[in-house]
Amino acid sequence: MAEFLAYLIAGIATGAIYALAAIGFTLVWQTSQTINFAQGEFVMLPAVLVLLAIKLFGAPVWLGALIGIAAFILIFGVGFKLAVVDPMIRHGVLPLAIATMALSIIMKEGAKDGFSAEAQKFPSFVPTETISVFGAAISLQHVAIIAVAFAVIGLLQWFVGGTRLGRQMQATAQNPTVARILGIPVERMVLLTFVINAALAVVASVLISPIYLAKFSNGEVIGLFAFIAAIVGGFNQVRGALVGGLIVGIVDSMAAAYISTSYRLAVPLVLLVIVILVKPEGLMGRKEERRV
Amino acid sequence: MTAPATHSAATSAARRLPLPGFIDGTLLTLVAAAIILWFAPSGMGRYGTYVLSLWLVMSVAVMGLNLTLGYAGLKSLAQAAFMGIGAYATALLTSKVGLNWYASFAISGLITFAVGLVLGFPALRVKAHYLAFVTLAFSTLIWLILRNEQWLTGGVFGLSNIPRPSFFGLKLDGALAFHRFVVVVTFLLAVVLWWMIRSPWGRAFTALRENPIRAASLGIDTRMYTLLAFAIGSAYAGFAGALYAPLVEFIDPSPFSLSQSFFLLLMVVAGGAGYLLGPFIGALLGVVLPEWLRFAGSLYLIIFAAIVMLLLIACPQGMSGLLERGWNRLTGKKEGAR
Amino acid sequence: QDKVKLVDVVELSGAGATAGTNWKNGIDLAVADINAKGGILGKQIEIVHYDTQTNPGNTRAAVQRAIDEGTYAVLGPVFSGPIGASMQIAQRAEIAQLVGGEAAGLTKQGNQYLFRTSLSQSAAMPKIAKYLKDTIKAGSVAVVWVNNDFGKGGRDAIIPELEKAGIKLAVDVSTEQGQADFAADAIKVKNANADAIFVYLNEEESARFLRAAKQQGITKPMVGETTLLGAKVIELAGDAANGVKGHVGLSIDAPIPAFQEFGKKFQAKYNYASDHNGLKGYMAVHMVKWATEKQKKFDKKGVADTLRGATIKTSDEPGILIETTIEKNGDLDRESFLAEVKDGKQVITATLPKINP
Amino acid sequence: MTTPILELDGVVGGYGAMTILNGTTFKVPRAAITTVIGPNGAGKSTVFKAIFGLLKVREGHIRLEGQEITNWNQRRLLEAGICYVPQGRNIFPELSVRHNIELGAVAAGSHITDMPRRIEAALDRFPSLRAKADVQASTLSGGQQKQLEIVRGLLLDPKLVLIDEPSIGLSPMMVQETFDILKELRAKGVTILMVEQNARSALEISDEGLVLELGRTRMQGPAADILADPRVRQLFLGGAMTEAA
Amino acid sequence: MTEVLEVSNLHKAFGGIKAVNGVSFKVNEGEILGIIGPNGCGKSTLFNCILGQLEPTEGAVKLDGRDVTNMRPSELNKLGVSRTFQLLQVFPELSVRENLILAGQEHEGTMLSRFFGARDAGLSAKAEQMIGFFKLGHLADAKAGGLSYGQQKLLDAAMAFMAGPRLVLLDEPAGGVNLTMLGDVKERLRAINAEQGATFVVIEHNMDFVMSLCSRVIVLAEGKVLAEGTPAEVRANPAVIEAYLGH
Ligand SMILES: Nc1ncnc2c1ncn2[C@@H]1O[C@H](COP(=O)(O)OP(=O)(O)OP(=O)(O)O)[C@@H](O)[C@H]1O
Ligand SMILES: Nc1ncnc2c1ncn2[C@@H]1O[C@H](COP(=O)(O)OP(=O)(O)OP(=O)(O)O)[C@@H](O)[C@H]1O
Ligand SMILES: [Mg+2]
Ligand SMILES: [Mg+2]
């Protein structure tokens, strides 16, 4: 029992990380109906930029953090929108989704060549102590991540669905032409989407990197798990990220514990397939629209 | 206005030349390219020949994905996994079972076709990304099996000493001989696909992409065509794998991972999804361009990705779209059909 | 001016990028050193690096290209899979290929042109088993390994050795390359309650595992190979690395001045600490240099013939850093070390002699 | 004719290389209902798109109350008092009906303070929407979706309404209701420019009629005259059928 | 007279909403049946259930006495049942001609013959004829997505007739179509009805069209049959006036 609890808590802690990374998928989906295949790299890169800023300018940690984060939001929020999304979005979302695949290569290789091929320590803004919950160990960092994931997802769920601005963003994604006809500032909404996404990626990065270390290839692992989490939870609802993340985290932990470790990765994937067959819109997702 | 019996995609070359009705610019290009490629390696050395062969092999896989994605609009993230199934099947059958390559090639195609059929079922749900999600899972699962089942696949250590085929007793072990063999096989596969696309099947595949609901109400068996498109596309990956194994003479799980499937997708779109010759251009960008960019050292991947991205920004229809645009401007035509 | 061309075919992107980059940097450092001292037999070295993307097909292409372009010897790659994919090509061309791979199987295929730059796992594992039995006095061991060619090779090599030594395998935990989260693995290891834990992961994963283990309160001794005791691991794992013990083949912290010297040069040039792959790359170039100077001419086939069965002494070629014997099959034999991490430093506790001194 | 509120003067525009509007010229009288009729593909919807800045006008001028508004963006046009209800299906499928409607007031920013009351009033006119106020808009029937668009388009206090075939998909009662609303708006001084294929009913409530063909104004005059014109009846109003019915 | 289509006690619920709530009716061979009713009364849903696009919650659909409930749309179509859609449903990236060929190609031959046979499946002439009739001649090679609303509506109708169906379900075919053109369409439907004995079920809000075309009319309200009769009877029915026509 104690053993089970230990796995459960480890799973929840990991799951919160996946949830935090998965928010980006659900947010981008809801507000631009695209999949950002570079989401994992979005979470990887801010930490690297922060370290780079510290290294280049010899700045103290907090200043480096500010510079790195600002640079990231500028390049991958504003810049991405202006340079990639704007020219491409009128041709539908497929080229855009593919472009994010190319972007992920650029981000990953850029981090490697521009910074380091090796993992780096990343300073934690949360104490690194471990506390014991019913005899199972959990670090304060994980607790912070869980809290932030819950808070951010709650906030976003409210923002996207419950405020007029959020609904304007959704409207822009669902039917940009009509949005324009009604006078919704479509450009600004898209920009807002990408800036929020970049800002969230920064939060995730800063919280996750002290645990996972800052490394150019981290995006692959984080991206894959976050993607699975988003699908399981439901792509078209922000809260899907939370549910999906926690479930995938727990399932992964249990798989490591009780199923062959070399097939551990298969278990969340099988879960994903089952969810798609049984409830294709995801556990928390909204049903697809009427089509006939 | 008289009704031309052919598809509007017939290029102007065919209209000007007195050729039998079914020959069009695409076919002529394919024939010309095959002839050039047959002779191309002279003076290129083994390495150049190998890269050309690798380009063609990847083109076959990309052609299959172009069918599923470009024509039928089904988003598959498992093309590399299918290629892996084909490669391992061929490698095992030729090196362990001792079957000849031709039979192994056919079996590889059949296996991938069958797996494609089964996997295609989730695609029957109307929303297209479910297929993407399922194939994502499948892709990783296949990779895990290839890696873990060492007794069969050699696991992380891979399989080596994969024999190359012979042709009516003619050994194809040399780089040039095998290259020519690859040219012939690729040409045949391309012609089959070309024929399929311009047959009513091709039209039905496009209908799946454009409006599956309307298609179903017009008697188009969307279930059958969806499965067919996906299974045939997968079989092409299987064929590509069956060529890849003897070309490299060694396989391990890494070239069949999820990121490789993404890479193949990039090639389809960069080449021009929904253009018959797009895959060759896409694979050229994906396979040969990196070789040309070697001078850039480790930066070449960034350059490659940036080129793809710029290309997509300039023209989301990829290189083929760009070329078509240029051609239309040259010939003064207004709008090109696919 | 006449130059000698060396092509390095290595993992600069993909899964092997970290190891490959170290290897490449080691090579660049060696080339710079040699060229500064006048080159090989008066010829400057021209070095070219080709990235394989950790993909066997590309590796093969790159090796072929290297040979077509007339490389004097092939350097790299580092990962065993790509080595397996490309070694026949160098063999067919009768050109020496100096690789960074440690998988036991590579040298068992009768390839006369393949040479390692480090000890093979089949050489290292018996030493570890002995250490576990004699020094740690472990009756049962948990094995944690990374499921790639490196880790799987190591695991397959250690388990029979443990059996021979009469040590029980308490739990066998495979992990993924690039895995970020080791909490569940650590719990699993903890619950197995073994006397010691053998950790065979790449550097970063080692660090992550050590941190997770500390968090879960694992107190049993952690034993490993070079990759568990590296400077990088210590840097990344911090406190959690203290107390880790094991066998080290190549290390910039070894009590050999040449190694430490190398470590300093590397640090100065690249601004981080080299791992064993950096040392391997450095040695690879010097092996080629030594063989050429020994045969006194640039003969490609001769390089392999000269290396095979040779013993390179530091007095003849300081760049080899440590006396190295090359066996007939391409395996190496040389001294190695037992080490322990104390207060954030790798401390060598014993030097193990060559297997066949 | 009273002073026109909207003027098109030699407007040329089209899609890609294809020109659809070949110098379209007409004037729209103030505080009146003007109905545009014409065969399918005449360019009626294209004219609307040109007025509302959704199609680039290559030549010619569009003026609102004498002010040049050619190629303005939508936001400016809305602020100038024009609103546009396009043809076909134009909803946000995954938002609720109420939220869809509410987005009709975005352009007003915070000027309008009585938004909830207006939405309630609109829902009163279309009871079947009220019942569905909180469901996803995509689940509405075709006619309900059209009702939603009409409600949404008229939420602000526009000067000029461009409405493209509002009657498609509406039941006869709802067509009447819609036309009643348009009449009320006219009574309040709002100008309405409407395209209708349901031309007889539309012309009956209109002050002015306009026949568009091949992107040009073929005829313009009082609605009653247009309705009575035998050529128009034959060519555009399906003469035979209306007689038979 | 034989019954072509029989719908019995059909129900369709979406969650708590009963869109179709126990509808039964029969359609005789060669009949032109009109279906009218207020917006949202379940007409389109009824069509979708009959045609296998939606799964009815309850009830049965019979074609020529054979149970075809839940049969897939493509199979039903191969049995000679075709339809049009209320909202525009064409293949936007294909040309008008390709749209039409697509609409007919699955009705002749086998999968194999469609692979090896002619590209146009021998339908060019037929497509040309349709294009001519619906006055789309100048647009034959234009992408369908670029047609005007009414033109797309006409193309949709044309597609439904490409394969010579014997039962056609039309969902608001008149919406957005020019009245003169509509007159032609109506004549054409009558002709097909008379010459080929094809049966029609038409949902329409255009009363002139319904009254002059249909031989019988069914009125739906809130998912149920409210009234049934000849056009004249229905038009005079006070309940129908109250619920649908208005005064
Ligand atoms: N997006 C487009 N791309 C290309 N051509 C178009 C596009 N939209 C309309 N057209 C063409 O422009 C012409 C006029 O179209 P428009 O939609 O203005 O007609 P309309 O008068 O509104 O017809 P309807 O009564 O059918 O709505 C048509 O011939 C049509 O084919
Ligand atoms: N997928 C769905 N989910 C929920 N409700 C639905 C769905 N489809 C239809 N409905 C509801 O069922 C009812 C009937 O819709 P239907 O489209 O059949 O109406 P209709 O009679 O065709 O109306 P119209 O004349 O406006 O086209 C409507 O109230 C609609 O909101
Ligand atoms: Mg129109
Ligand atoms: Mg309807």
Side-chain angles (χ1 to χ4, degrees):
Chain A
M1 188 60 212
E3 188 180 318
F4 179 82
L5 204 68
Y7 285 119
L8 185 69
I9 287 179
I12 292 173
T14 316
I17 293 181
Y18 298 154
L20 202 54
I23 303 173
F25 281 117
T26 57
L27 179 76
V28 170
W29 180 264
Q30 260 201 295
T31 53
S32 60
Q33 312 253 303
T34 333
I35 293 173
N36 178 7
F37 284 102
Q39 195 66 43
E41 277 68 32
F42 268 61
V43 175
M44 172 278 293
L45 198 59
V48 169
L49 287 182
V50 168
L51 291 178
L52 194 67
I54 293 174
K55 192 172 129 192
L56 283 184
F57 308 118
V61 172
W62 63 269
L63 186 63
L66 284 186
I67 298 174
I69 289 166
F72 181 82
I73 294 181
L74 215 60
I75 300 171
F76 292 95
V78 182
F80 183 54
K81 188 261 175 190
L82 293 179
V84 181
V85 179
D86 280 357
M88 243 187 282
I89 192 73
R90 68 203 147 89
H91 300 284
V93 293
L94 183 67
L96 188 58
I98 305 285
T100 61
M101 289 184 186
L103 183 71
S104 80
I105 295 179
I106 296 177
M107 293 171 85
K108 191 161 62 188
E109 298 300 315
K112 188 184 77 201
D113 294 330
F115 185 60
S116 171
E118 307 229 333
Q120 306 291 331
K121 265 217 264 208
F122 190 80
S124 174
F125 296 94
V126 179
T128 50
E129 267 111 82
T130 302
I131 55 172
S132 163
V133 185
F134 306 116
I138 185 167
S139 77
L140 286 178
Q141 287 170 307
H142 281 117
V143 174
I145 289 174
I146 295 173
V148 171
F150 267 91
V152 166
I153 287 171
L155 207 67
L156 272 182
Q157 180 82 26
W158 166 78
F159 171 70
V160 172
T163 68
R164 224 178 274 177
L165 193 60
R167 288 195 293 271
Q168 286 183 40
M169 289 167 69
Q170 286 192 61
T172 302
Q174 289 170 26
N175 201 336
T177 321
V178 180
R180 207 162 258 139
I181 286 171
L182 296 179
I184 295 174
V186 169
E187 305 296 316
R188 215 181 304 155
M189 291 302 136
V190 178
L191 182 63
L192 195 58
T193 301
F194 284 91
V195 170
I196 294 180
N197 184 43
L200 277 176
V202 164
V203 173
S205 190
V206 166
L207 284 169
I208 293 172
S209 299
I211 304 174
Y212 284 3
L213 307 172
K215 188 179 181 194
F216 74 95
S217 60
N218 274 1
E220 284 173 35
V221 188
I222 297 176
L224 180 64
F225 275 100
F227 195 51
I228 298 173
I231 299 169
V232 168
F235 241 89
N236 58 17
Q237 290 282 302
V238 174
R239 59 171 187 254
L242 186 61
V243 174
L246 290 180
I247 289 180
V248 169
I250 293 170
V251 163
D252 180 52
S253 175
M254 295 298 163
Y258 301 111
I259 303 177
S260 140
T261 45
S262 60
Y263 274 110
R264 170 178 179 184
L265 186 55
V267 180
L269 293 167
V270 170
L271 172 76
L272 174 153
V273 173
I274 293 172
V275 167
I276 287 180
L277 293 178
V278 178
K279 198 163 185 299
E281 68 274 15
L283 297 176
M284 285 287 129
R286 209 192 295 113
K287 264 227 159 54
E288 297 293 346
E289 54 180 281
R290 171 180 180 179
R291 340 199 92 246
V292 283
Chain B
M1 193 166 142
T2 53
T6 50
H7 201 258
S8 55
T11 58
S12 41
R15 279 197 205 114
R16 259 182 275 122
L17 300 169
L19 294 170
F22 68 86
I23 294 182
D24 68 3
T26 308
L27 185 63
L28 291 177
T29 315
L30 281 178
V31 173
I35 293 171
I36 294 173
L37 283 170
W38 178 275
F39 294 107
S42 63
M44 283 185 103
R46 277 167 306 181
Y47 158 73
T49 312
Y50 174 88
V51 172
L52 279 187
S53 306
L54 190 64
W55 165 44
L56 291 179
V57 171
M58 294 313 276
S59 298
V60 172
V62 181
M63 270 195 291
L65 191 56
N66 189 30
L67 175 70
T68 29
L69 177 81
Y71 288 97
L74 306 167
K75 295 164 194 77
S76 163
L77 296 176
Q79 194 72 352
F82 280 111
M83 196 172 154
I85 295 177
Y88 273 89
T90 298
L92 290 171
L93 288 172
T94 52
S95 69
K96 297 263 160 75
V97 182
L99 213 59
N100 75 29
W101 180 84
Y102 299 92
S104 313
F105 176 79
I107 294 174
S108 299
L110 273 179
I111 295 176
T112 41
F113 185 87
V115 175
L117 278 186
V118 175
L119 201 61
F121 271 91
L124 300 174
R125 302 192 175 247
V126 206
K127 262 279 189 238
H129 22 270
Y130 297 146
L131 183 69
F133 296 165
V134 170
T135 48
L136 174 107
F138 174 75
S139 185
T140 311
L141 289 173
I142 287 294
W143 184 85
L144 279 175
I145 291 172
L146 294 182
R147 189 199 62 185
N148 288 349
E149 301 308 315
Q150 195 170 352
W151 58 276
L152 183 67
T153 64
V156 290
F157 306 114
L159 294 171
S160 46
N161 301 324
I162 300 164
R164 285 186 172 176
S166 58
F167 184 71
F168 289 114
L170 201 67
K171 279 292 208 186
L172 299 175
D173 287 343
L176 184 62
F178 189 70
H179 168 74
R180 290 186 167 159
F181 182 72
V182 172
V183 170
V184 172
V185 176
T186 308
F187 175 73
L188 292 178
L189 289 171
V191 168
V192 171
L193 203 66
W194 163 80
W195 179 267
M196 189 186 318
I197 291 304
R198 55 197 290 294
S199 79
W201 281 27
R203 199 180 289 112
F205 290 151
T206 327
L208 299 178
R209 177 188 76 196
E210 298 275 300
N211 192 340
I213 291 176
R214 187 59 175 129
S217 78
L218 293 170
I220 294 162
D221 190 340
T222 44
R223 183 191 294 190
M224 163 116 88
Y225 278 111
T226 306
L227 293 178
L228 262 182
F230 186 60
I232 295 174
S234 305
Y236 267 68
F239 292 142
L243 286 168
Y244 181 87
L247 173 66
V248 183
E249 299 176 281
F250 169 90
I251 48 173
D252 78 351
S254 60
F256 311 120
S257 65
L258 183 61
S259 58
Q260 286 298 313
S261 286
F262 283 172
F263 213 63
L264 288 171
L265 258 175
L266 274 181
M267 291 188 212
V268 173
V269 177
Y275 290 87
L276 214 106
L277 298 176
F280 291 95
I281 306 176
L284 193 75
L285 288 177
V287 178
V288 185
L289 185 74
E291 302 294 328
W292 290 335
L293 286 176
R294 290 268 188 229
F295 68 87
S298 57
L299 288 180
Y300 80 89
L301 255 182
I302 300 187
I303 299 178
F304 165 70
I307 288 178
V308 171
M309 212 149 96
L310 288 177
L311 182 64
L312 286 177
I313 291 170
C315 181
Q317 286 82 36
M319 276 305 273
S320 302
L322 213 57
L323 292 175
E324 185 181 69
R325 229 190 257 169
W327 175 255
N328 287 343
R329 200 155 295 163
L330 269 180
T331 56
K333 249 204 313 183
K334 271 188 226 111
E335 212 184 349
R338 286 200 173 186
Chain C
Q1 198 201 338
D2 206 7
K3 286 191 171 183
V4 57
K5 179 167 183 171
L6 274 182
V7 179
D8 169 34
V9 174
V10 72
E11 295 82 352
L12 293 177
S13 59
T18 310
T21 307
N22 267 297
W23 166 268
K24 167 183 177 289
N25 289 343
I27 287 178
D28 282 340
L29 198 59
V31 169
D33 279 1
I34 293 171
N35 282 347
K37 289 184 198 141
I40 305 179
L41 296 180
K43 283 196 195 185
Q44 292 281 301
I45 303 174
E46 178 195 346
I47 183 79
V48 179
H49 302 281
Y50 288 151
D51 178 15
T52 68
Q53 292 167 272
T54 323
N55 172 324
N58 291 5
T59 310
R60 198 181 160 87
V63 170
Q64 186 68 67
R65 178 175 192 178
I67 290 166
D68 284 4
E69 288 175 353
T71 188
Y72 180 54
V74 177
L75 305 179
V78 177
F79 271 29
S80 306
I83 296 172
S86 60
M87 56 196 260
Q88 297 90 344
I89 296 185
Q91 182 182 18
R92 245 179 254 163
E94 302 192 322
I95 288 180
Q97 183 175 10
L98 293 90
V99 301
E102 299 182 355
L106 295 173
T107 43
K108 290 184 183 152
Q109 300 174 24
N111 185 334
Q112 297 277 294
Y113 293 85
L114 189 80
F115 299 94
R116 290 188 198 275
T117 50
S118 58
L119 295 184
S120 125
Q121 287 161 340
S122 44
M125 292 309 164
K127 299 184 181 183
I128 292 176
K130 188 164 180 306
Y131 178 67
L132 281 168
K133 188 168 169 64
D134 299 346
T135 313
I136 309 279
K137 305 208 182 328
S140 67
V141 168
V143 176
V144 183
W145 48 286
V146 52
N147 203 338
N148 61 13
D149 48 356
F150 163 74
K152 185 81 178 7
R155 175 207 174 261
D156 289 353
I158 190 87
I159 287 187
E161 296 298 332
L162 291 177
E163 215 165 282
K164 265 190 252 163
I167 300 173
K168 215 174 107 251
L169 178 64
V171 62
D172 185 23
V173 179
S174 112
T175 67
E176 296 298 324
Q177 183 163 307
Q179 184 170 324
D181 200 293
F182 285 89
D185 308 86
I187 297 173
K188 192 160 186 167
V189 166
K190 185 182 181 191
N191 291 336
N193 222 353
D195 297 335
I197 300 147
F198 176 60
V199 183
Y200 202 64
L201 305 171
N202 298 112
E203 279 86 348
E204 283 137 19
E205 288 84 345
S206 294
R208 291 180 183 133
F209 177 78
L210 291 177
R211 285 159 60 143
K214 180 168 182 235
Q215 194 186 327
Q216 295 302 334
I218 296 180
T219 49
K220 296 290 162 53
M222 305 266 184
V223 177
E225 237 284 303
T226 317
T227 53
L228 184 66
L229 293 127
K232 190 76 206 172
V233 181
I234 299 172
E235 178 203 328
L236 294 176
D239 283 356
N242 283 337
V244 166
K245 307 173 176 55
H247 170 255
V248 178
L250 295 173
S251 160
I252 54 169
D253 297 321
I256 291 185
F259 281 0
Q260 294 170 357
E261 175 96 358
F262 167 85
K264 283 194 201 110
K265 265 194 284 184
F266 192 101
Q267 175 81 37
K269 183 157 178 192
Y270 300 107
N271 211 5
Y272 73 94
S274 168
D275 72 358
H276 57 130
N277 288 303
L279 278 161
K280 288 194 240 170
Y282 190 83
M283 292 170 155
V285 185
H286 282 98
M287 283 164 76
V288 175
K289 171 169 183 270
W290 175 84
T292 311
E293 286 172 350
K294 170 111 182 166
Q295 61 177 338
K296 301 201 178 60
K297 60 181 177 190
F298 288 96
D299 175 7
K300 292 179 189 174
K301 186 168 181 300
V303 173
D305 295 337
T306 312
L307 284 175
R308 215 175 297 128
T311 295
I312 308 176
K313 294 210 161 62
T314 43
S315 49
D316 297 340
E317 175 50 70
I320 198 71
L321 305 179
I322 180 171
E323 182 178 300
T324 301
T325 300
I326 302 162
E327 290 169 14
K328 290 279 179 216
N329 63 1
D331 275 340
L332 300 187
D333 190 5
R334 59 185 165 212
E335 285 180 346
S336 57
F337 315 94
L338 289 178
E340 190 174 337
V341 176
K342 282 190 191 136
D343 301 327
K345 278 242 157 346
Q346 191 191 87
V347 180
I348 301 292
T349 51
T351 301
L352 303 180
K354 282 182 171 179
I355 296 173
N356 303 309
Chain D
M1 201 198 267
T2 52
T3 51
I5 183 168
L6 182 76
E7 277 175 86
L8 274 77
D9 185 3
V11 171
V12 177
Y15 305 94
M18 201 170 30
T19 303
I20 303 294
L21 304 179
N22 294 298
T24 315
T25 303
F26 61 80
K27 294 187 170 123
V28 180
R30 186 186 293 274
I33 300 180
T34 303
T35 294
V36 184
I37 62 171
N40 293 123
K44 304 182 293 297
S45 302
T46 308
V47 169
F48 276 24
K49 287 186 216 163
I51 299 173
F52 208 67
L54 294 164
L55 182 91
K56 193 161 179 337
V57 174
R58 294 203 285 262
E59 276 171 46
H61 303 276
I62 302 172
R63 292 187 202 91
L64 180 74
E65 302 181 306
Q67 188 190 17
E68 183 87 32
I69 58 163
T70 321
N71 292 331
W72 275 21
N73 72 26
Q74 292 72 36
R75 188 78 186 196
R76 274 180 91 186
L77 292 164
L78 282 158
E79 276 157 15
I82 307 184
C83 76
Y84 171 44
V85 182
Q87 191 173 16
R89 179 183 192 254
N90 299 288
I91 55 165
F92 303 114
E94 293 185 25
L95 292 180
S96 75
V97 172
R98 190 185 299 279
H99 289 155
N100 259 277
I101 296 176
E102 173 200 273
L103 286 170
V106 168
S110 50
H111 296 314
I112 300 185
T113 48
D114 59 343
M115 196 43 53
R117 195 194 54 73
R118 281 185 197 220
I119 293 175
E120 291 311 308
L123 289 176
D124 284 342
R125 311 258 344 208
F126 292 102
S128 73
L129 284 187
R130 169 172 297 289
K132 303 240 156 203
D134 295 313
V135 308
Q136 260 188 57
S138 76
T139 67
L140 295 185
S141 79
Q144 289 166 338
Q145 292 185 13
K146 200 70 219 174
Q147 293 171 19
L148 181 154
E149 286 179 49
I150 294 169
V151 168
R152 185 181 64 190
L154 302 178
L155 210 53
L156 301 177
D157 291 321
K159 259 188 231 160
L160 171 64
V161 175
L162 306 173
I163 187 162
D164 198 346
E165 302 212 29
S167 80
I168 294 180
L170 293 188
S171 71
M173 242 160 85
M174 289 303 131
V175 175
Q176 270 175 33
E177 184 68 32
T178 306
F179 284 0
D180 286 347
I181 293 177
L182 296 181
K183 285 193 273 187
E184 286 165 27
L185 285 173
R186 171 178 60 186
K188 284 198 252 167
V190 178
T191 309
I192 287 143
L193 181 60
M194 162 163 72
V195 174
E196 255 307 338
Q197 291 295 3
N198 193 353
R200 261 163 41 91
S201 326
L203 285 171
E204 273 163 15
I205 65 154
S206 302
D207 308 277
E208 186 91 349
L210 202 152
V211 181
L212 204 71
E213 203 176 16
L214 293 175
R216 287 210 180 84
T217 316
R218 271 278 298 267
M219 198 186 280
Q220 182 169 12
D225 295 2
I226 301 277
L227 199 51
D229 189 302
R231 272 179 317 153
V232 173
R233 289 178 79 93
Q234 192 56 41
L235 286 173
F236 307 117
L237 301 185
M241 184 167 75
T242 31
E243 252 80 307
Chain E
M1 256 193 295
T2 51
E3 286 150 13
V4 183
L5 181 71
E6 181 181 352
V7 173
S8 35
N9 193 29
L10 204 74
H11 289 258
K12 176 70 192 177
F14 299 102
I17 303 163
K18 293 189 172 121
V20 176
N21 196 5
V23 171
S24 307
F25 64 90
K26 292 174 183 168
V27 187
N28 295 317
E29 177 108 47
E31 194 179 13
I32 303 185
L33 173 70
I35 295 185
I36 60 175
N39 293 131
C41 69
K43 304 182 294 297
S44 300
T45 306
L46 177 65
F47 267 23
N48 289 332
C49 289
I50 294 174
L51 288 156
Q53 238 106 19
L54 292 175
E55 227 174 87
T57 325
E58 200 186 318
V61 180
K62 281 188 183 149
L63 188 71
D64 299 321
R66 172 180 165 203
D67 189 358
V68 295
T69 324
N70 286 331
M71 189 183 258
R72 284 187 294 141
S74 59
E75 287 172 17
L76 263 169
N77 181 257
K78 293 227 180 87
L79 296 176
V81 186
S82 71
R83 74 170 297 184
T84 69
F85 287 83
Q86 179 175 10
L87 298 171
L88 299 178
Q89 298 275 15
V90 295
F91 303 100
E93 288 286 320
L94 297 183
S95 70
V96 168
R97 184 180 287 115
E98 291 280 306
N99 265 272
L100 289 168
I101 293 175
L102 196 47
Q105 70 172 36
E106 300 294 313
H107 290 264
E108 295 290 332
T110 60
M111 283 303 281
L112 274 189
S113 73
R114 278 192 283 282
F115 184 84
F116 290 106
R119 277 171 97 157
D120 65 347
L123 288 167
S124 283
K126 178 102 199 218
E128 233 32 61
Q129 198 189 334
M130 284 292 173
I131 288 170
F133 175 74
F134 286 102
K135 302 207 170 71
L136 297 170
H138 58 300
L139 296 166
D141 290 314
K143 284 184 180 172
L147 300 189
S148 79
Y149 187 96
Q151 288 164 341
Q152 291 195 32
K153 201 81 211 185
L154 290 170
L155 176 58
D156 196 7
M159 284 200 278
F161 288 100
M162 269 305 284
R166 44 188 298 259
L167 173 63
V168 190
L169 280 67
L170 301 156
D171 197 346
E172 300 198 24
V177 176
N178 175 266
L179 289 181
T180 304
M181 186 71 222
L182 192 59
D184 293 351
V185 171
K186 197 166 60 179
E187 287 320 308
R188 180 61 174 228
L189 294 185
R190 276 214 193 97
I192 295 175
N193 177 247
E195 289 157 20
Q196 294 160 24
T199 310
F200 295 95
V201 182
V202 188
I203 295 177
E204 196 35 82
H205 290 302
N206 182 331
M207 280 303 108
D208 295 340
F209 185 81
V210 174
M211 295 300 155
S212 58
L213 180 68
C214 300
S215 46
R216 188 161 62 98
V217 176
I218 290 177
V219 187
L220 292 188
E222 297 182 353
K224 293 198 170 90
V225 177
L226 177 72
E228 186 176 344
T230 64
E233 285 165 10
V234 164
R235 175 169 256 182
N237 185 326
V240 177
I241 294 175
E242 180 61 32
Y244 180 62
L245 294 171
H247 302 279

